Amino acid sequence: MNKLVKHILALLFCGCLLQPASAEELKLTSLDGNTVLTVNIDEQISWSVEKYNRTILPKVIVDMTVNGNPLAKSPSLKAKKEVDRSESFEVTVPLKNHKVSNEYKELQLGFKGGFGLHFRVYNEGVAYRFFTSLRGDVEVNNEVMDMVFPDGTNSYFPKEVSTYSHYERNYLHLDIDSIPVGDFCSLPVLFNQDNEQLRVLFSEANVYDYPNMFLESAGNKHLVSMFPKAVKETIPQPGARADRNVIITKEHDYIAKTNGKRTYPWRLFVITNDDKTLLEQDMVMQLSDPLKIDDTSWIKPGKVAWDWWNDNNIYGVDFESGLNTETYKYFIDFASSYGIEYVILDEGWTKSTTEILDFNPDMDVKELIRYGEEKGVGVILWCLWKPLDENMQEILDTYAQWGAKGIKVDFMQRADQYMVNSYEQIAKACAERKLLVDYHGSYKPNGLRRAYPNVISYEGVKGNENNKWSEDITPLHNTILPFIRMAVGPMDYTPGAMINMQKENFNISFSRPMSMGTRCHQMAMYVVFESGLQMMCDNPSNYYKEEECTRFISKIPSVWDRTIALEASVGEYVAVARQNGENWYLGGMSNWEERTIHLDFAFLPKGTFELELFTDGVNANRFAQDYKVKTITVQKGDKLTLKLAKGGGFAGILHPVE
């Protein structure tokens, strides 16, 4: 052997010695064979994912720092196991499908040092989470997720200016490499590759006793995880909103103090080249804890006559409208007339915003609850989170004793560990008293509602209420929401505006608000948008005046046996079919573009169906409230072409013909 060969072999041998003994590459492939997740264990733990024979995420580095020690530094693998699952479960309040299929492959990795990782691959995407098996309580200082994206990736980026937020954001269409270092967003967030032909939706699930994750730009196509620190001390914000806003004055140096033997939240990625998948997938539900309530028979989803958006601006009555008993009896009468399940008493019903155990002298809440029961209408009570948190047991006991059906709790505005725990505490305490919960001023759904289905809806969305003070709620915005925010769970957008305008006619009015887009655009929301508690935001006087539309909306349920996406393109258009019992319901919406939608009734079972259909009127481009209603018969396999106006939409109900 000559000296050159010996020298090369020596170098190769030294190189091998420099590699950590634990270096390993592990692969996990989806059941359909299209998605391949590769885990690399070297000086650190990273993973990548391929789908459609291309690299989607080239490198994601993950780690956790617990009690000041990075767990995944020079990791040593001691156990691995691959598991296949093919199961299904039923959803108590089904907002997409009554039965959810849960089929995946899972790679379970255990490392020296008392920690490990679970990786799951679904046909629709991938997910991972940490677990630890450490004694006693631990302090989690940080959880690292460092993602690098391929060239040309852009995003729908819900930029935040603080983690103290209502999480009601516009989705900014930004190139990843153009996001300034330090800018960050809340979740969910959508990434786009291959000229927007491929989507990656990122969010989280099963978040308990742990803060929400945010994503921060680190520059050079990198986004990294960030978390709010655990809150140590707050003081009321000086001024008019001291009842609901706080200033965080001290934070701990950790993000969570928690039991050392536990699993942590799932980090999930829906990956698809078909926008319909974003509407049909249910990964947050699949990755969340099962039911924790024994009796769910009392949980009743439905629609709500809502007061706050329309500022109690009823007319044609012989009493002065406002925050008084007569006005709310009018709301209850309206709800009863149309079979609407609930009325909300929003801000103003209490003696003050902090004295929420008593009502204002012009409103007899006990009488309203009694009157509602007589009329078959339940009453839901709004309250601020801050006073509720300070006196939860007495307040909830009182509301339950009065006969209220639920609470709309507002102004949480945080996503730290204490607040996440508060969400579960409220859900559990309300379930014990058979009270529904609608979270406003809230972060997005994280899976809590599978365990506590009395959590009937979440806000955390820039919805119709913003019409009262801004021009942000456009048909473009509305055709983005189903693919991002709604893709992770219900959103209390509060649809139903009866005063509808095209862009050039829209005006901001706090007391007499209106919406952008057509009447049918608003009506379609009752089918397209998911919420177990679907608001009717306009005032009863307007609904009475628009009897034909109101009667139609009142027939649309808020829960579904099955959902099928018919047409879908993020920020352009959306059309869905949803089944409830023997009936099917159609809804479709467009952005500001006029367009033609082609409906294929291949989803129908055999037989003849009568279709009651609301479409944009011939003059809807000028007068947005113009609509046309017709009834036709259709069968499986029939096709129908619909023309949508600017900001347009359509809605339909299909009844089987005997």
Side-chain angles (χ1 to χ4, degrees):
M1 186 181 295
N2 62 43
K3 289 183 179 180
L4 178 60
V5 172
K6 288 181 179 180
H7 183 64
I8 292 171
L9 289 174
L11 288 174
L12 290 172
F13 179 71
C14 290
C16 291
L17 289 179
L18 290 173
Q19 298 297 316
S22 60
E24 193 164 353
E25 182 180 273
L26 305 167
K27 290 186 179 292
L28 192 65
T29 304
S30 61
L31 292 169
D32 65 4
N34 290 331
T35 306
V36 180
L37 184 143
T38 302
V39 181
N40 288 286
I41 305 165
D42 205 324
E43 291 295 328
Q44 58 192 2
I45 301 172
S46 65
W47 61 271
S48 60
V49 65
E50 297 177 5
K51 193 169 186 176
Y52 312 121
N53 297 313
R54 57 169 292 175
T55 299
I56 310 299
L57 292 170
K59 189 172 186 180
V60 183
I61 299 169
V62 295
D63 199 354
M64 284 187 78
T65 301
V66 177
N67 295 333
N69 299 311
L71 297 180
K73 184 178 181 181
S74 300
S76 179
L77 182 66
K78 69 174 187 178
K80 60 182 177 181
K81 181 181 179 181
E82 187 173 323
V83 177
D84 289 9
R85 285 282 186 272
S86 182
E87 58 193 15
S88 64
F89 58 87
E90 293 187 349
V91 181
T92 307
V93 180
L95 304 182
K96 196 181 299 289
N97 296 295
H98 179 63
K99 181 174 283 188
V100 174
S101 175
N102 196 29
E103 299 180 345
Y104 59 86
K105 288 186 179 181
E106 181 170 293
L107 181 62
Q108 301 171 354
L109 303 178
F111 295 87
K112 291 181 180 179
F115 81 100
L117 283 156
H118 296 151
F119 291 92
R120 281 190 191 176
V121 178
Y122 291 84
N123 291 344
E124 298 83 5
V126 301
Y128 78 91
R129 69 176 175 186
F130 277 94
F131 68 87
T132 54
S133 53
L134 303 170
R135 291 183 179 179
D137 284 347
V138 297
E139 294 178 358
V140 180
N141 308 102
N142 193 22
E143 180 186 336
V144 174
M145 184 185 70
D146 183 340
M147 297 189 290
V148 62
F149 290 88
D151 290 340
T153 301
N154 64 52
S155 67
Y156 285 92
F157 196 76
K159 180 181 174 180
E160 299 281 357
V161 296
S162 170
T163 60
Y164 189 91
S165 170
H166 285 287
Y167 312 108
E168 301 174 21
R169 315 308 297 174
N170 290 317
Y171 290 92
L172 306 178
H173 202 185
L174 303 173
D175 292 337
I176 290 294
D177 54 10
S178 74
I179 301 173
V181 174
D183 278 11
F184 66 95
C185 72
S186 50
L187 305 181
V189 57
L190 184 67
F191 303 105
N192 313 290
Q193 299 177 15
D194 193 22
N195 293 318
E196 309 219 3
Q197 299 303 303
L198 190 142
R199 313 287 190 184
V200 181
L201 177 75
F202 175 66
S203 197
E204 56 188 343
N206 221 44
V207 182
Y208 288 96
D209 195 27
Y210 203 78
N212 281 214
M213 179 187 282
F214 296 75
L215 283 183
E216 182 179 10
S217 172
N220 196 27
K221 295 176 291 187
H222 278 256
L223 290 177
V224 298
S225 58
M226 65 172 286
F227 298 87
K229 298 284 189 182
V231 174
K232 189 174 184 179
E233 184 180 287
T234 67
I235 60 172
Q237 176 183 298
R241 295 214 153 189
D243 57 349
R244 64 198 70 189
N245 294 346
V246 301
I247 297 173
I248 300 171
T249 54
K250 291 183 181 179
E251 295 178 324
H252 294 283
D253 61 357
Y254 51 80
I255 64 172
K257 186 172 184 178
T258 188
N259 191 291
K261 190 172 183 179
R262 61 163 293 183
T263 58
Y264 295 86
W266 285 102
R267 315 302 175 195
L268 65 95
F269 301 78
V270 181
I271 303 169
T272 182
N273 61 4
D274 185 350
D275 289 355
K276 295 176 186 176
T277 301
L278 297 173
L279 302 173
E280 294 179 343
Q281 59 77 37
D282 218 350
M283 283 187 68
V284 171
M285 287 292 279
Q286 291 168 310
L287 292 164
S288 294
D289 279 352
L291 192 64
K292 295 183 180 181
I293 299 175
D294 293 330
D295 176 20
T296 62
S297 61
W298 57 273
I299 299 173
K300 184 181 178 182
K303 284 188 286 297
V304 189
W306 185 36
D307 54 348
W308 189 84
W309 189 80
N310 56 75
D311 203 22
N312 294 301
N313 229 331
I314 62 176
Y315 51 89
V317 296
D318 57 2
F319 57 85
E320 187 174 341
S321 65
L323 292 165
N324 55 53
T325 302
E326 291 86 351
T327 295
Y328 284 92
K329 283 193 172 183
Y330 182 84
F331 270 84
I332 291 169
D333 287 341
F334 160 71
S336 180
S337 296
Y338 287 91
I340 296 164
E341 291 83 355
Y342 300 103
V343 163
I344 274 187
L345 308 190
D346 214 292
E347 184 168 5
W349 74 265
T350 54
K351 189 173 183 180
S352 73
T353 53
T354 55
E355 297 174 284
I356 63 176
L357 283 168
D358 200 359
F359 31 91
N360 87 48
D362 295 323
M363 291 181 65
D364 188 339
V365 174
K366 291 181 182 179
E367 166 59 16
L368 288 171
I369 291 173
R370 184 208 64 78
Y371 187 73
E373 289 176 351
E374 182 182 293
K375 295 282 188 173
V377 178
V379 173
I380 294 172
L381 301 175
W382 175 92
C383 63
L384 288 172
W385 172 81
K386 191 169 178 284
L388 177 66
D389 184 61
E390 293 166 354
N391 190 19
M392 186 183 301
Q393 302 304 319
E394 184 181 5
I395 290 168
L396 295 181
D397 282 343
T398 300
Y399 293 176
Q401 288 164 9
W402 289 350
K405 300 301 182 184
I407 63 169
K408 174 182 173 180
V409 57
D410 206 349
F411 285 89
M412 285 78 76
Q413 307 176 108
R414 287 162 42 192
D416 53 85
Q417 183 187 22
Y418 182 91
M419 187 59 71
V420 169
N421 288 341
S422 179
Y423 275 53
E424 185 181 14
Q425 290 163 6
I426 292 169
K428 184 177 180 181
C430 284
E432 291 168 353
R433 295 161 177 82
K434 297 186 177 180
L435 295 171
L436 302 176
V437 184
D438 180 15
Y439 287 116
H440 266 238
S442 67
Y443 52 71
K444 83 288 182 192
N446 285 337
L448 183 67
R449 71 184 183 92
R450 183 179 171 192
Y452 299 94
N454 62 313
V455 175
I456 203 82
S457 198
Y458 285 72
E459 193 182 26
V461 62
K462 204 173 186 72
N464 250 358
E465 69 173 11
N466 288 266
N467 286 313
K468 291 166 72 75
W469 55 77
S470 81
E471 297 181 352
D472 290 345
I473 309 306
T474 65
L476 170 61
H477 176 74
N478 296 336
T479 52
I480 291 173
L481 290 177
F483 303 95
I484 308 177
R485 169 58 184 82
M486 195 184 80
V488 302
M491 55 181 197
D492 196 359
Y493 174 98
T494 65
M498 291 290 107
I499 303 175
N500 319 108
M501 297 291 172
Q502 291 292 356
K503 186 188 305 184
E504 58 271 21
N505 306 123
F506 179 82
N507 289 296
I508 295 170
S509 174
F510 190 88
S511 292
R512 298 190 65 185
M514 60 193 70
S515 70
M516 289 193 197
T518 69
R519 169 69 56 79
C520 288
H521 188 89
Q522 285 286 310
M523 293 175 69
M525 293 176 181
Y526 288 95
V527 180
V528 175
F529 288 171
E530 296 170 1
S531 178
L533 203 62
Q534 197 69 278
M535 301 285 173
M536 295 181 70
C537 69
D538 220 317
N539 76 68
S541 302
N542 284 346
Y543 285 128
Y544 281 132
K545 187 177 178 181
E546 300 289 349
E547 159 70 19
E548 192 171 47
C549 294
T550 305
R551 187 64 63 187
F552 180 85
I553 291 170
S554 72
K555 293 186 291 187
I556 301 174
S558 59
V559 291
W560 310 103
D561 297 323
R562 189 179 175 199
T563 292
I564 297 173
L566 301 176
E567 298 288 337
S569 182
V570 177
E572 295 188 49
Y573 53 87
V574 57
V576 299
R578 300 189 193 266
Q579 181 185 15
N580 182 292
E582 293 184 337
N583 296 336
W584 286 83
Y585 300 79
L586 303 174
M589 301 157 62
S590 177
N591 59 11
W592 282 124
E593 299 298 319
E594 292 183 69
R595 70 180 72 250
T596 299
I597 293 284
H598 303 283
L599 296 183
D600 187 339
F601 290 94
F603 61 86
L604 287 175
K606 290 182 179 179
T608 301
F609 284 78
E610 183 180 85
L611 170 60
E612 182 183 5
L613 182 65
F614 280 70
T615 58
D616 295 324
V618 67
N619 292 305
N621 280 327
R622 298 181 62 190
F623 185 75
Q625 290 170 212
D626 188 30
Y627 68 88
K628 181 179 180 180
V629 60
K630 63 181 178 181
T631 300
I632 59 175
T633 57
V634 296
Q635 294 181 330
K636 181 181 178 68
D638 285 352
K639 294 178 172 59
L640 184 65
T641 299
L642 300 178
K643 185 176 180 181
L644 276 62
K646 298 182 296 183
F650 67 89
I653 301 177
L654 290 147
H655 304 278
V657 177
E658 295 182 0

